[in-house]
Amino acid sequence: MTTLARRLGLADAVVIGLGSMIGAGIFAVFGPAAQAAGSGLLVGLAIAAIVAFCNATSSAQLAAQHPVSGGTYAYGRAQLGPWWGFAAGWCFLIGKTASTAAMALTFAAYAAPTGGEKPIAALAVAAVAIVNLLGVTRTAMATRVIVIVVLACLGVALIAANVDVQRAPLGEVFAAGPYGVLQAAALIFFAFAGYARIATMGEEVRDPARTIPRAIVIALAGAFVVYAFVAVTVLTVLGPEQLASTTSPLADAVPTWARAVVRIGAAAASLGALLALMAGIGRTGLAMAREGDLPRPLAAVHERRRVPHRIELVLAAVSITLVLTVDLRGAIGFSSFGVLLYYFIANVSAWTQTPDHRRYPKWLQGLGMIGCLVLAAAVPWQSLVAGAAVLVIGVAGRMLLKRRSSP
């Protein structure tokens, strides 16, 4: 059998989305964003949130019409054709597989002893793969616990950071210029992209036409509130220059007694995002294998656990390889490029929906298309070149496979 069981309700879907968004990014992304834009990262945060909202409404609208696994891969195939669907699925797989490496490495940076980060990160990927293989209800349960722990730790950290502190001057918001602000937005977008995990689980959510749109918007709104509080806190406590020079901004912004709490929260957040992320990638891989865009044997669903076990095992192996060979900064930039192109296709797909399936104004999809392309072009040039090269390799590979399979 290759069908999945519908076991998740609204609360489960929201928690999985929050677990993906309130993850490694909140503890790591503001340093690189400050390097790009200084105090202009606050403008970048707003831009990233606007683009994410446009993408979220497109994803919600598409998920209501096409409540199946695969996210924009499935939507692109249905609305635009097989090649658009493949491009979306390939961008998602490469971008989010890079994200799994980033999440694992961030977890290890907070939880592992010096010198042992990469082996611990690889073990984290293996442990999360085992949890996902046990079944989606266990994934949702574990994510719920992790989100509670993370929010509690963030609450303590924010209170500690805002009590009896001297605020640093912010400086000129637009000193880095438009490109710097846009690059900050592109990096921060990496942290917002988790709401798509909800859409990719369309076959496992009860009443998906109603549940998925609501869960996406609720999870995105909740994540934005948390990110805004953290961004303002670290920027006003540390100042733009110190923030740009640190790899652990929230830890540096709190008193010494609270740093252990931050480390616990960072480790839990990274692990929670990794958990939800790997589940979502597995469902997209399942959909692609069903259509022959990946080897068809990967479409198998475990008879008892009802999870796509083969694709998740392959994903774990690739993620472990990346963890052992890449660094965090490169993983974030590469991930942002791939995911922004994925959402560009989501917006194009939503643009083509008929009025009876439209839930949001059409101009939101247009704004989302423009925003995704602009931010994708603003990522660091190394990530732009590498992402474009891997995209071309994927397209060429599919052309070769289709040519060989044709009579």
Side-chain angles (χ1 to χ4, degrees):
M1 297 177 64
T2 60
T3 58
L4 304 174
R6 298 191 184 277
R7 296 173 176 171
L8 303 180
L10 176 63
D12 295 319
V14 170
V15 166
I16 287 175
L18 283 173
S20 297
M21 285 183 281
I22 304 178
I26 203 167
F27 295 95
V29 78
F30 292 118
Q35 286 181 337
S39 58
L41 73 85
L42 295 177
V43 180
L45 175 63
I47 293 172
I50 291 170
V51 175
F53 178 74
C54 293
N55 299 344
T57 57
S58 291
S59 296
Q61 186 170 285
L62 288 161
Q65 181 179 354
H66 308 287
V68 297
S69 285
T72 303
Y73 170 72
Y75 312 150
R77 286 184 65 90
Q79 297 293 136
L80 304 171
W83 270 107
W84 285 86
F86 171 79
W90 184 248
C91 287
F92 183 87
L93 288 179
I94 62 176
K96 287 307 180 179
T97 301
S99 292
T100 64
M103 299 299 178
L105 289 168
T106 302
F107 167 77
Y110 284 89
T114 303
E117 290 88 350
K118 285 188 176 292
I120 294 298
L123 288 174
V125 173
V128 166
I130 291 171
V131 171
N132 276 331
L133 289 170
L134 291 176
V136 67
T137 54
R138 289 171 176 79
T139 298
M141 185 183 302
T143 305
R144 186 191 299 272
V145 172
I146 290 170
V147 168
I148 292 172
V149 170
V150 171
L151 290 177
C153 292
L154 281 176
V156 172
L158 289 174
I159 292 172
N162 283 285
V163 172
D164 193 25
V165 295
Q166 183 176 0
R167 301 293 174 180
L170 293 182
E172 175 57 46
V173 172
F174 293 103
Y179 178 74
V181 172
L182 289 174
Q183 187 170 107
L187 294 169
I188 293 171
F189 182 83
F190 165 80
F192 273 113
Y195 54 80
R197 303 298 76 69
I198 303 169
T200 61
M201 304 182 82
E203 290 186 29
E204 296 159 284
V205 174
R206 296 190 296 270
D207 190 13
R210 174 178 171 83
T211 299
I212 290 177
R214 294 173 63 197
I216 288 175
V217 174
I218 292 170
L220 179 62
F224 175 73
V225 170
V226 174
Y227 267 78
F229 271 113
V230 173
V232 171
T233 295
V234 296
L235 188 60
T236 58
V237 172
L238 299 177
E241 291 185 3
Q242 186 180 350
L243 178 57
S245 65
T246 181
T247 57
S248 54
L250 198 53
D252 290 350
V254 302
T256 303
W257 65 265
R259 288 178 184 172
V261 175
V262 173
R263 290 179 68 87
I264 293 171
S270 303
L271 199 60
L274 180 62
L275 182 69
L277 183 62
M278 290 184 71
I281 300 172
R283 273 64 185 176
T284 298
L286 170 68
M288 294 183 73
R290 284 172 172 171
E291 297 294 340
D293 286 330
L294 291 177
R296 290 189 184 276
L298 295 178
V301 174
H302 193 277
E303 186 174 349
R304 185 162 62 91
R305 299 292 185 184
R306 314 307 306 150
V307 295
H309 58 293
R310 290 181 183 173
I311 189 66
E312 291 197 352
L313 287 171
V314 172
L315 167 64
V318 174
S319 297
I320 290 172
T321 301
L322 288 175
V323 159
L324 297 175
T325 57
V326 303
D327 60 39
L328 179 61
R329 186 181 298 271
I332 289 177
F334 188 87
S335 174
S336 292
F337 176 81
V339 174
L340 282 163
L341 292 184
Y342 170 86
Y343 284 118
F344 169 75
I345 296 174
N347 284 301
V348 175
S349 299
W351 179 275
T352 66
Q353 287 181 283
T354 55
D356 54 316
H357 291 295
R358 186 164 300 284
R359 293 168 175 255
Y360 303 97
K362 197 169 186 178
W363 63 264
L364 279 175
Q365 287 103 62
L367 181 60
M369 285 185 243
I370 295 171
C372 286
L373 290 179
V374 170
L375 294 189
V379 300
W381 70 267
Q382 299 93 332
S383 299
L384 182 63
V385 171
V390 175
L391 179 59
V392 170
I393 289 171
V395 171
R398 185 177 190 267
M399 291 177 65
L400 182 61
L401 287 174
K402 293 298 181 183
R403 182 177 300 176
R404 287 183 175 179
S405 62
S406 61

